[in-house]
Amino acid sequence: MLTADDAGIARAASLLESGLTVAFPTETVYGLGADARNGTAVAAVYEAKGRPAFNPLIVHVAGTQQAQEYVHWSDTADLLARHFWPGPLTLVLPLREGHGLASLVTAGLPTVAIRVPAHPAARALLQAFGGPVAAPSANPSGRISPTRADHVMAGLGGKIAAVLDDGPCTVGLESTIVATDPQALLLRAGGLATEELARVLGEMPGQPEAGAITSPGQLLSHYAPGAPLRLDACAPVSGEVMLGFGRMDCDLNLSERGDLTEAATRLFDCLHQLDRTGKPIAVAPIPEHGLGRAINDRLRRAAAPR
Ligand code: TXA
Ligand code: MG
């Protein structure tokens, strides 16, 4: 466990340079990072997570200029990057010739998912390391994403070189993923609300055609706690623990004042806590707007048949 001070950041960067895996905080969730140019290091990420190898990773860079070294930039990418980078937005763009990224990062696709995180410790690490860092969320494949260093330790402790600890994540949901090919397509709802994207694009982003595998990581069962999850519940039935929203009787509340941003920040931590009870979890209805869309997306996957 490394503290996110100068010494901790330098140590984390040198572990990445040696081809090891390091978990680090971003504003969305903790990521498990490896040098994106080093196939062996990237393989260790898949190995630690027990992740199916067809599922490509997000590449994290320090700024837009670095991103442009790896991808064919576009007008839409430029518009979105200017508004939302650094921040919880990932762009999927065509790879450049001679990009130098390990093929395991992209799982052989002609495109790559890339983002510039806003978290100060992530930015400091990317600066110190100086190269692209491939990082999926730092949880065992299919399980709840980590928003605190101790979530990472509980899931991956002993399987990775280090965790850079800088407290809880402020957004708490993974980044929103948009392909700009050339018009914007929303591949994953996330920490940047769809309405925010629409404000800048001048229209709602398109949806990928049903059945097209555009974001292979969007597996139906994902983010799953050990016990079953029941959605849109008004009250728990016997044996269940209740995750509430708004003023109500429950074991844990995502946001008593019904605030979707607060609910997003707390979602994965509440699921981790309720998961530790070993009991089935009932979840109150969450409104389907703003960050509620991404929260409901994660909840539906957590509740899906495994
Ligand atoms: O907030 C986040 O995005 C976090 C932090 C650590 O940055 N990372 C994250 O990574 O959520 P991960 O690996 O759990 O999710 C990456 C998603 C997957 O759904 C994957 O299929 C999709 O990105 N993806 C990666 N490359 C892609 C590509 N070339 N085309 C379409 N989807 C891609
Ligand atoms: Mg994930």
Side-chain angles (χ1 to χ4, degrees), residues 2-18 22 121 124-130 162 164:
L2 300 170
T3 310
D5 54 14
D6 290 352
I9 302 251
R11 177 90 181 110
S14 90
L15 291 170
L16 289 175
E17 274 155 29
S18 337
V22 177
L125 178 61
L126 291 168
Q127 292 286 356
F129 177 62
L164 187 63

Side-chain angles (χ1 to χ4, degrees), residues 26 28-32 49 51 55-58 60 90 92 105-106 109 111-113 115 135-137 173-175 177 187-188 214-218:
T26 80
T28 58
V29 299
Y30 275 72
L32 179 59
K49 283 182 63 86
R51 178 172 202 162
N55 195 352
L57 310 180
I58 294 176
H60 298 67
T90 295
V92 170
V105 170
T106 58
L109 294 171
T111 53
V112 67
R115 87 176 186 99
S137 51
L173 287 174
E174 292 85 351
S175 59
I177 306 183
L187 301 186
R188 175 174 79 182
T214 44
S215 201
Q218 292 292 74

Side-chain angles (χ1 to χ4, degrees), residues 77-174:
D78 205 58
L79 178 71
L80 294 177
R82 277 175 201 284
H83 277 86
F84 300 118
W85 277 0
L89 173 69
T90 295
L91 296 175
V92 170
L93 292 161
L95 279 163
R96 246 178 209 288
E97 280 299 278
H99 52 77
L101 300 174
S103 60
L104 257 186
V105 170
T106 58
L109 294 171
T111 53
V112 67
I114 197 157
R115 87 176 186 99
V116 179
H119 193 290
R123 292 176 67 74
L125 178 61
L126 291 168
Q127 292 286 356
F129 177 62
V133 173
S137 51
N139 51 282
S141 188
R143 306 311 293 266
I144 309 167
S145 298
T147 56
R148 310 164 62 100
D150 57 287
H151 297 159
V152 179
M153 278 300 198
L156 299 179
K159 296 184 171 166
I160 61 180
V163 185
L164 187 63
D165 180 5
D166 201 14
C169 301
T170 52
V171 175
L173 287 174
E174 292 85 351

Side-chain angles (χ1 to χ4, degrees), residues 164-220:
L164 187 63
D165 180 5
D166 201 14
C169 301
T170 52
V171 175
L173 287 174
E174 292 85 351
S175 59
T176 298
I177 306 183
V178 173
T180 67
D181 184 21
Q183 87 280 36
L185 281 184
L186 180 68
L187 301 186
R188 175 174 79 182
L192 177 68
T194 316
E195 290 87 340
E196 284 288 293
L197 280 172
R199 186 174 58 75
V200 165
L201 292 167
E203 58 182 356
M204 286 297 259
Q207 302 281 345
E209 278 169 50
I213 300 181
T214 44
S215 201
Q218 292 292 74
L219 300 175
L220 197 51

